[in-house]
Amino acid sequence: MNRKESFLKYQAQITQDPFLLDIKHAKGSYIYTRDNKKYIDLVAGVSSCTLGHSNPAIINAVKKQLDLHTHVMVYGEFIQDIPLRLAIKLADCLPKNLNCTYLVNSGTEAIEGAIKLAKRKNGRKKVVSCLNSYHGSTQGSLSAIGRDEMKKKYQPLIPFHENIRFNNFEDLKILKNDVSSIIIEPVQGGTNFIIAQKKWLKAIRKQCNNHSIELIYDEIQTGFGRTGKMFGLELSNIVPDIICLAKGMGGGMPIGAFVSSKENMNLFSKNPSLGHITTFGGHPTSCAAALVTINELKKSKIIDRINNKREIFKTHLIHSKIKNIHGTGLMIAIELENEEYCQHIVKKLLKNGVITFYFLFDKKNIRISPPLTISENEIKQACSIILKTLDKY
Ligand SMILES: Cc1ncc(COP(=O)(O)O)c(C=O)c1O
C-alpha cells in the first residue's frame, strides 16, 4: 500500500476529493512535498499561518518552552509565565472592556465558551447568528452556523438558535429581551469574504445595549492582522462584549481564546464553579507561538503593508474570466463564472504549483488568504501563474 492509499484508508476524510499533497516541509510562503515539488501557499492553513511557515522566532519560542515544561495543569489553576504574558498582551491590544482571557485550543471551543458565558450573564436561551455564517463544527457552534444543509443530519442540535440575514436591518427586530447573544463575523469567512457594514453593526450594538444582549464577535478568521487591522473590530470601531479568537493567533500552532470583561469571566468561577473547563486550553507551547505572533505583528510593519499587498493582488488579477474580487485585506475572494469552473481552476492551480482553496458556502469564488508575510514578488509570481492558468483553461 502506498502512502496515498494508507492515508485514504487510515485517516478520516471530510470530502471525496482531498488535495493529497504529501508534505515534506514548509518555509515562508512555500510548501514542499515529498515528490520534490514546491507550492506557493495562498491559503496559509486557512488563514492560520500568519507569519509564514517555520517562522524562526516561533520555532525558538516553542523550543524554549518545551525545555521548561509542557502541560502541567487544567486551565486556570496554576500561574504559567507564557500564558499569563499572552493574556496581558491581549488585554493590551484589545479595547478596554475586553480585558480578561479564557484560552482554549481552537475556534469552535472559543465560540462554545462565548455562548456559555453570555448565558451566564443574562440567563437567557436564544442565540442569534447570521445566514451563511460559519462558527465551527461542535454541537453549539454548529447550532449557530447559518447553513441548514450542514446542520440537518445532526439534529437535534441546540434549540433556540435563530439565523438572520447578514447586513439586513429589518431582521434586527429579533433582538429583544429574550435574546442571550448575537454572534457576528466582521467579515464572513465561509462565504466570499463579505464585510459587515458599519451602520449595521452600530444598529446591532444599540439593540444589544437596549436589551442587555451580549454581542459576540467571531474574529477567528479576521483577527491578528488579516483585515489590515490587528482585529476586525477596528474596521468599524464597534466593540463587542465578547471576542472569539483562534486560527492566525497561533501562527500555525493550535490555540483559541474568548476574551471579555473580568466581571463577565468571574461568572464561570461560582454558582456553580468550574463553569467552563479545559484540560489543554492555553497550552504553553501554543501560547509561546501566539505571543511571538502578536509581538511580531505589533513591532513590524506587516499589518501596515496588508492593504498594499491586497492592491498588488487586485491590480495583477485582471482577466476576462475574473468577474469580481471581494473581501478586505488579505481575505481575497476571486469570483469566477460558475461553480464548476471554480472547482476546475483550483485543481489546475494546484497542478501549476499554487495552493488556493474553496469557500464553504460560495463555490463560485476562489479563496486567497496567504501568510501575511508573503512578499510583493511572491504575490506577482502567484498572480502570473493564476493568469496563465485562466488563459489556458
Ligand atoms: C469564522 C470562523 N469561526 C469559527 C471557526 C472554527 O474554528 P476551528 O476550526 O479552529 O474550530 C472557523 C474555522 O474555519 C472560522 O473561520
Side-chain angles (χ1 to χ4, degrees), residues 151-165:
K151 305 204 272 192
K152 64 179 180 228
K153 295 272 171 77
Y154 300 104
Q155 299 293 349
L157 286 170
I158 298 174
F160 300 102
H161 275 261
E162 305 269 354
N163 291 140
I164 60 169
R165 288 169 288 181

Side-chain angles (χ1 to χ4, degrees), residues 151-293:
K151 305 204 272 192
K152 64 179 180 228
K153 295 272 171 77
Y154 300 104
Q155 299 293 349
L157 286 170
I158 298 174
F160 300 102
H161 275 261
E162 305 269 354
N163 291 140
I164 60 169
R165 288 169 288 181
F166 196 67
N167 281 333
N168 183 290
F169 284 86
E170 204 184 309
D171 287 4
L172 299 185
K173 60 181 184 291
I174 196 171
L175 297 176
K176 299 269 168 56
N177 57 10
D178 61 337
V179 174
S180 176
S181 58
I182 175 166
I183 313 173
I184 301 289
E185 294 165 86
V187 181
Q188 281 200 317
T191 55
N192 49 335
F193 292 144
I194 303 168
I195 304 161
Q197 286 167 18
K198 182 171 179 170
K199 275 194 309 200
W200 186 64
L201 293 172
K202 207 168 163 187
I204 293 176
R205 182 65 274 178
K206 193 166 164 212
Q207 299 269 79
C208 286
N209 291 349
N210 288 346
H211 300 288
S212 302
I213 298 165
E214 293 294 285
L215 174 55
I216 301 172
Y217 273 4
D218 177 343
E219 289 233 32
I220 287 159
Q221 206 160 150
T222 51
F224 303 98
R226 179 111 340 244
T227 66
K229 306 275 185 195
M230 182 62 109
F231 297 104
L233 62 84
E234 294 164 46
L235 296 172
S236 65
N237 288 320
I238 308 291
V239 177
D241 302 296
I242 308 172
I243 187 169
C244 296
L245 307 166
K247 281 192 179 276
M249 176 179 181
M253 290 289 281
I255 190 163
F258 56 105
V259 186
S260 188
S261 65
K262 181 69 193 166
E263 184 199 355
N264 271 0
M265 287 294 188
N266 273 344
L267 296 165
F268 280 142
S269 69
K270 52 183 191 289
N271 300 323
S273 64
L274 303 171
H276 193 71
I277 305 175
T278 169
T279 299
F280 286 125
H283 194 279
T285 52
S286 292
C287 288
L291 197 56
V292 168
T293 302

Side-chain angles (χ1 to χ4, degrees), residues 282-337:
H283 194 279
T285 52
S286 292
C287 288
L291 197 56
V292 168
T293 302
I294 300 174
N295 282 337
E296 192 59 29
L297 289 176
K298 287 288 262 185
K299 74 168 196 252
S300 71
K301 297 250 180 287
I302 293 172
I303 293 182
D304 297 341
R305 294 194 184 116
I306 297 296
N307 284 319
N308 184 40
K309 289 179 182 179
R310 176 182 181 79
E311 272 318 297
I312 300 173
F313 270 111
K314 277 188 83 174
T315 48
H316 283 78
L317 290 176
I318 293 173
H319 193 283
S320 59
K321 289 175 180 159
I322 295 179
K323 301 296 161 203
N324 213 334
I325 293 193
H326 306 276
T328 185
L330 284 177
M331 303 177 92
I332 299 172
I334 307 176
E335 185 181 329
L336 300 179
E337 188 74 54

Side-chain angles (χ1 to χ4, degrees), residues 46 106-109 111 134-137 185 189 218 220-221 246-247:
V46 190
S106 63
T108 196
E109 286 172 72
I111 295 287
Y134 181 73
H135 300 298
S137 268
E185 294 165 86
D218 177 343
I220 287 159
Q221 206 160 150
K247 281 192 179 276

Side-chain angles (χ1 to χ4, degrees), residues 316-358:
H316 283 78
L317 290 176
I318 293 173
H319 193 283
S320 59
K321 289 175 180 159
I322 295 179
K323 301 296 161 203
N324 213 334
I325 293 193
H326 306 276
T328 185
L330 284 177
M331 303 177 92
I332 299 172
I334 307 176
E335 185 181 329
L336 300 179
E337 188 74 54
N338 57 48
E339 298 187 356
E340 295 73 48
Y341 185 58
C342 182
Q343 310 279 311
H344 184 62
I345 288 297
V346 168
K347 292 212 179 92
K348 292 296 175 194
L349 284 172
L350 191 66
K351 266 215 156 103
N352 292 341
V354 179
I355 300 173
T356 60
F357 207 38
Y358 312 109

